[in-house]
Amino acid sequence: MSMERLWGLLQRTQRLSPRPSQTIYKRVEGTQQWRLEEEEEEGEEGAEPAAHFCPMELRGPDLGSRAGRQNLGLWAAAGRKAAPYLVLTALLIFTGAFLLGYVAFRGSCQACGDDVLVVPEDVNYEPGPDSHQGTLYWSDLQAMFLRFLGEGRLEDTIRQISLRKRMAGSAGMAALAQDIRGALSSQKLDHVWMDTHYVGLQFPHPAHPNTLHWVDAADKLGEPLPLEDHDVYCPYSATGNATGELVYAHYGRPEDLQDLRARGVETAGRLLLVRLGEISFAQKVASAQEFGAGGVLIYPDPADFSQDPHKLGLSSHRAVYGHVHLGTGDPYTPGFPSFNQTQFPPVQSSGLPNIPAQPISADIASLLLRKLQGPVAPQEWQGRLPVSPYRLGPGPGLRLGVNNHRVSTPISNIFGCIEGRSEPDHYVVIGAQRDAWGPGAAKSAVGTAILLELVRTFSSMVSNGFQPRRSLLFISWDGGDFGSVGSTEWLEGYLSVLHLKAVVYVSLDNAVLGDDKFHAKTSPLLISLIENILKQVDSPNRSGQTLFEQVTFNSHSWDAEVIRPLPMDSSAYSFTAFAGVPAVEFSFMEDGQVYPFLHTKDDTYENLHTMLRGRLPAVAQAVAQLAGQLLIRLSHDHLLPLDFGRYGDVVLRHIGSLNEFSGDLKARGLTLQWVYSARGDYIRAAEKLRKEIYSSEERDERLMRMYNVRIMRVEFYFLSQYVSPADSPFRHIFLGRGDHTLGALLDHVRLLRSGGSGDPGATASRVAPGLGFQESRFRRQLALLTWTLQGAANALSGDVWNIDNNF
């Protein structure tokens, strides 16, 4: 039937109608039926008919009339002949709309790149004046973040914070804490609060300063050597006097002290003069104590800093501050949170030294080195002080007197939170140290300024439509200069909760110490994500390049150039080694040289700005971009972007070192097969989980949450469940300290080829000096390591009925 015939039929039907009418449904009184009636519509021309809404049963026209039967027949005939055309027309319209929508969506996705992060349509928020309407993709979120971040005043904030005195426990710190809390409260955060801990901190005695004297052969005190920076000290040093001859020990590493012993220079009962650098103050003092030294003097050698005459250098009369607790947190409450009501056990941290330590300036070190006799130091031990050559000693006697005293001190951590929409009980945490011993521009002012800018930026994003899936937790730490005291005490107080809820920790400490190189000290779980983000952040000092292109300019292996293990003196270390939360700390560094003013009175805004040749704002902005985009991915992706397969490579690398000794072990009837099997189970579990995720539906919220829980706890799985947190707080088998670690096992196995003599420097495993390889100890270490690794594989497998052990 043609369209013309159909139209004619419709017109004929209309003419057969008795009069103009409107069909409505009307209930007839006295009956339960609904019937169709014709009512004439009286009203003005063009007026809209009144709408009647009521429950109804659809019935046809009254068939009792002749006109009704004629109308019905004509309508039925027209409907039967027109139906195929109507269906075909509907299909054509649907197909065209589908193709148009597909092309439009595909084009928008291509603009977004590979990582499309969709905010679901059920997000409820009050849009601001600049809010995005509709779906937010990764490119939208990235552009929004960069736009709001660019409105900040990072440089001014760094300058202002560095001018404020903020030693932990001081009145200046209390005032700054209230200002930071006020700044967080003024933003669009869901929660702002403060935690106070009462910790034991060590300070110089106001009436009895530390001293250093010459001593003659009869142990009689001679002239004092002036300690030019009287208030520079080593917190947590042992107190009292140490007397002995002086020995030069390079950086004070275990291998340096072993080298001294091999050259016939004894360290026992003597004072060691060691250079700043390579390892922390705490590690230097711990190594000296293991080798029997009586005390330690630490000085900055000009050879360890830039020799560029156009760059600033550390004054020769400056000493450098640094704590000597081999651990983190309050050493007088190890493993317990230092809340005011806590009943402390009568124990101290095993990381507290038993020998005194004191920083001295380069000028004082020159005086001491001139007095040394004995063999000439190796060429690589020679420095740049006006003494030639450096000798190993021994030299004349000295007496070091340390009179530091312990003070119970309140410290305050400040928190701000943006609650997540879908997984509010999972936290992405970012923090920065607030306190500083001196001006602390690089040490803590930069990190605190970046933290505040990120809070302001994400608050603006929330006002304009951004709602993270997971909660964002912003924290300003106190007590950082005493060994991450504030962050560790918080972890100890909430450990039972945090290992289930904290997804990742991002540290902003020491973020800008230069601008030539970039390092990421991190858990292996974050390496792939960091690589992805580096490709999206512009280099602060190479126009037209991304940060990834900058770090790979002279190296094809980006991770070898950038990735470093977490050091103990980082606040991020406790999150991973103690709490089992993956963590990262970013740092821009000078090429080949360290920032000379860290932990000194010269760590000022002016010196930092001059060292970076005016590029401080650009470098700080790059750190903020990197950290912020990392937070977006971690808080907003449906599936957590943590590479849980990376730990298989870590185990393989360590096993490669152990394989060297497989023949020695086999000769004793021992084997490493258990470790190999556990590694194989972990790799199979990781691959199985990866395939499950790949074949799953991303929109299945219950399934995604189940996968995310398994992924976010991978780091926790590597905390040994077979050692006590009170005795071995750093239970991580790859990063921790103690006999349960893979590093301790490797140190022990090396004794098979050392002629039976122990390595006194193996402080990570606490190998007793003089003891050789012990089969019973090896078997115990192997069991601790193997079953922790096997437990990680089992947990990654999911439910118990999915576990397939091949032991």
Side-chain angles (χ1 to χ4, degrees):
M1 177 186 293
S2 67
M3 293 300 294
E4 289 80 1
R5 291 179 61 190
L6 178 61
W7 177 247
L9 182 60
L10 290 174
Q11 286 180 321
R12 181 183 175 193
T13 303
Q14 186 174 17
R15 285 196 299 270
L16 291 173
S17 299
R19 68 184 188 279
S21 65
Q22 180 184 4
T23 301
I24 66 171
Y25 295 94
K26 189 171 184 180
R27 186 167 186 171
V28 180
E29 294 295 334
T31 177
Q32 299 302 316
Q33 299 285 333
W34 291 86
R35 68 183 178 85
L36 193 67
E37 289 193 352
E38 301 290 327
E39 274 193 7
E40 186 166 339
E41 192 70 27
E42 300 289 338
E44 296 180 359
E45 185 179 4
E48 292 292 333
H52 301 269
F53 295 98
C54 57
M56 63 190 70
E57 178 184 351
L58 295 181
R59 302 189 65 181
D62 187 354
L63 300 180
S65 67
R66 183 169 176 269
R69 286 193 297 270
Q70 284 181 335
N71 288 348
L72 178 63
L74 291 170
W75 275 107
R80 282 194 301 269
K81 293 180 180 181
Y85 294 94
L86 294 175
V87 171
L88 181 60
T89 303
L91 285 173
L92 288 173
I93 293 172
F94 175 79
T95 303
F98 175 80
L99 291 174
L100 182 63
Y102 174 77
V103 170
F105 179 76
R106 182 177 176 85
S108 67
C109 279
Q110 288 172 341
C112 295
D114 294 332
D115 298 305
V116 181
L117 307 178
V118 181
V119 178
E121 295 177 359
D122 61 349
V123 175
N124 296 316
Y125 66 93
E126 295 181 4
D130 298 325
S131 65
H132 283 62
Q133 298 298 326
T135 302
L136 291 175
Y137 298 100
W138 165 244
S139 59
D140 298 322
L141 293 175
Q142 192 178 38
M144 183 192 294
F145 169 75
L146 294 176
R147 176 162 60 92
F148 287 122
L149 182 67
E151 297 173 359
R153 303 173 61 188
L154 262 175
E155 188 175 13
D156 288 343
T157 308
I158 295 170
R159 181 191 293 110
Q160 292 167 12
I161 293 174
S162 66
L163 292 174
R164 302 184 65 162
K165 295 185 181 299
R166 55 190 192 284
M167 172 73 100
S170 68
M173 170 52 81
L176 179 60
Q178 291 302 323
D179 291 346
I180 297 290
R181 184 174 187 176
L184 267 58
S185 298
S186 68
Q187 301 297 329
K188 193 176 180 61
L189 302 178
D190 295 302
H191 310 283
V192 176
W193 74 99
M194 183 183 292
D195 260 359
T196 299
H197 300 267
Y198 294 80
V199 297
L201 304 182
Q202 211 183 57
F203 297 97
H205 198 290
H208 304 285
N210 298 341
T211 60
L212 184 64
H213 288 81
W214 295 110
V215 174
D216 61 20
D219 285 345
K220 184 177 180 181
L221 287 182
E223 293 183 18
L225 285 93
L227 298 177
E228 296 167 303
D229 278 347
H230 289 289
D231 49 353
V232 182
Y233 70 113
C234 288
Y236 303 124
S237 164
T239 57
N241 299 320
T243 303
E245 296 176 312
L246 186 68
V247 169
Y248 172 55
H250 201 209
Y251 292 112
R253 299 169 296 188
E255 56 267 35
D256 296 329
L257 304 184
Q258 194 69 51
D259 196 356
L260 278 175
R261 183 173 289 175
R263 294 173 184 273
V265 179
E266 186 53 59
T267 57
R270 290 173 168 165
L271 298 184
L272 302 187
L273 178 64
V274 301
R275 282 160 59 166
L276 180 75
E278 296 295 326
I279 58 176
S280 68
F281 278 42
Q283 290 170 305
K284 295 175 190 293
V285 176
S287 296
Q289 180 175 304
E290 291 285 350
F291 278 80
V296 182
L297 300 172
I298 305 171
Y299 79 98
D301 197 294
D304 297 312
F305 303 106
S306 174
Q307 305 305 310
D308 188 341
H310 301 292
K311 289 189 175 182
L312 294 175
L314 186 66
S315 169
S316 62
H317 64 268
R318 282 287 188 225
V320 180
Y321 166 99
H323 78 88
V324 293
H325 172 216
L326 191 64
T328 62
D330 182 357
Y332 304 109
T333 61
F336 296 87
S338 297
F339 291 116
N340 198 30
Q341 71 275 16
T342 303
Q343 298 299 310
F344 302 129
V347 295
Q348 293 185 357
S349 169
S350 58
L352 283 175
N354 297 323
I355 60 175
Q358 175 67 29
I360 61 173
S361 67
D363 284 345
I364 299 300
S366 295
L367 294 175
L368 299 176
L369 284 167
R370 291 193 187 100
K371 300 287 187 178
L372 290 183
Q373 301 174 353
V376 173
Q379 182 59 41
E380 59 271 20
W381 289 30
Q382 298 296 321
R384 290 186 176 272
L385 290 176
V387 178
S388 185
Y390 286 22
R391 293 185 176 273
L392 300 178
L398 291 170
R399 173 172 292 179
L400 171 63
V402 173
N403 301 306
N404 303 337
H405 69 129
R406 170 184 165 186
V407 178
S408 180
T409 308
I411 62 171
S412 298
N413 300 322
I414 306 165
F415 304 81
C417 175
I418 297 174
E419 277 197 39
R421 171 181 49 83
S422 301
E423 302 175 39
D425 57 332
H426 290 165
Y427 318 142
V428 179
V429 188
I430 184 167
Q433 174 183 329
R434 185 175 71 252
D435 65 300
W437 173 81
K443 178 60 182 175
S444 64
V446 169
T448 299
I450 294 174
L451 180 73
L452 292 175
E453 285 302 309
L454 288 174
V455 169
R456 184 194 58 77
T457 299
F458 277 94
S459 176
S460 298
M461 291 175 67
V462 167
S463 297
N464 284 267
F466 172 62
Q467 284 195 336
R469 293 180 59 82
R470 300 170 196 94
S471 297
L472 287 168
L473 194 56
F474 304 91
I475 310 178
S476 174
W477 303 116
D478 200 351
D481 265 358
F482 290 83
S484 304
V485 175
S487 58
T488 303
E489 294 308 307
W490 184 68
L491 286 172
E492 289 176 343
Y494 302 100
L495 182 62
S496 59
V497 173
L498 289 174
H499 83 271
L500 300 173
K501 296 180 178 291
V503 176
V504 165
Y505 175 67
V506 180
S507 170
L508 296 173
D509 298 340
N510 304 309
V512 180
L513 304 175
D515 66 345
D516 294 324
K517 286 184 172 292
F518 173 80
H519 289 161
K521 291 160 273 189
T522 183
S523 159
L525 295 174
L526 288 161
I527 292 176
S528 296
L529 179 59
I530 292 170
E531 178 183 8
N532 184 282
I533 299 297
L534 287 178
K535 294 176 180 178
Q536 304 185 52
V537 175
D538 292 335
S539 167
N541 56 5
R542 293 188 180 178
S543 179
Q545 286 189 350
T546 65
L547 196 49
F548 183 84
E549 290 169 335
Q550 175 186 331
V551 300
T552 56
F553 184 76
N554 294 317
S555 173
H556 295 294
S557 176
W558 84 272
D559 51 348
E561 184 73 19
V562 171
I563 302 302
R564 298 289 185 274
L566 285 166
M568 185 179 285
D569 56 0
S570 165
S571 65
Y573 178 84
S574 292
F575 273 84
T576 300
F578 174 70
V581 177
V584 60
E585 179 177 289
F586 303 117
S587 294
F588 279 92
M589 319 282 290
E590 286 295 295
D591 190 5
Q593 301 293 335
V594 298
Y595 175 69
F597 306 120
L598 203 64
H599 289 129
T600 72
K601 296 176 182 177
D602 294 330
D603 184 16
T604 62
Y605 167 82
E606 290 74 20
N607 281 341
L608 181 60
H609 192 276
T610 302
M611 281 289 297
L612 270 68
R613 300 172 295 282
R615 287 202 291 268
L616 173 59
V619 180
Q621 186 84 356
V623 175
Q625 289 184 24
L626 183 66
Q629 294 189 50
L630 199 72
L631 294 184
I632 294 174
R633 290 292 309 275
L634 288 166
S635 67
H636 195 60
D637 278 17
H638 277 71
L639 187 73
L640 281 172
L642 301 180
D643 189 356
F644 47 86
R646 279 274 183 171
Y647 265 114
D649 300 333
V650 173
V651 179
L652 182 62
R653 186 169 62 249
H654 284 287
I655 285 179
S657 302
L658 287 170
N659 279 339
E660 179 185 346
F661 303 94
S662 58
D664 302 85
L665 291 170
K666 189 175 181 180
R668 292 172 174 256
L670 303 171
T671 179
L672 295 168
Q673 185 58 42
W674 283 8
V675 178
Y676 303 152
S677 297
R679 175 191 174 267
D681 282 347
Y682 181 85
I683 290 177
R684 283 188 291 273
E687 185 59 27
K688 180 182 177 184
L689 178 57
R690 198 187 309 277
K691 290 179 179 178
E692 285 181 25
I693 293 171
Y694 181 78
S695 60
S696 64
E697 172 54 55
E698 189 185 62
R699 291 295 181 181
D700 188 331
E701 292 287 343
R702 176 182 172 277
L703 194 60
M704 286 300 106
R705 181 176 176 86
M706 183 182 72
Y707 289 146
N708 283 335
V709 167
R710 285 161 67 181
I711 292 170
M712 67 181 279
R713 294 180 187 171
V714 167
E715 201 79 66
F716 178 76
Y717 300 153
F718 291 111
L719 299 186
S720 178
Q721 306 301 307
Y722 307 102
V723 295
S724 165
D727 298 331
S728 300
F730 304 121
R731 295 178 292 148
H732 202 285
I733 60 173
F734 300 117
L735 194 64
R737 301 181 64 83
D739 231 28
H740 59 284
T741 63
L742 201 155
L745 176 64
L746 186 57
D747 286 341
H748 189 199
V749 170
R750 288 194 181 108
L751 297 180
L752 289 167
R753 298 185 181 178
S754 64
S757 61
D759 179 7
T763 55
S765 55
R766 296 178 187 161
V767 177
L771 293 179
F773 181 83
Q774 300 171 323
E775 182 176 325
S776 60
R777 177 169 172 255
F778 168 81
R779 290 182 181 276
R780 182 177 183 276
Q781 285 181 301
L782 191 63
L784 290 174
L785 176 67
T786 301
W787 282 108
T788 302
L789 184 56
Q790 186 64 49
N794 293 346
L796 200 60
S797 296
D799 296 306
V800 291
W801 50 83
N802 291 325
I803 297 172
D804 180 21
N805 286 336
N806 293 317
F807 266 34

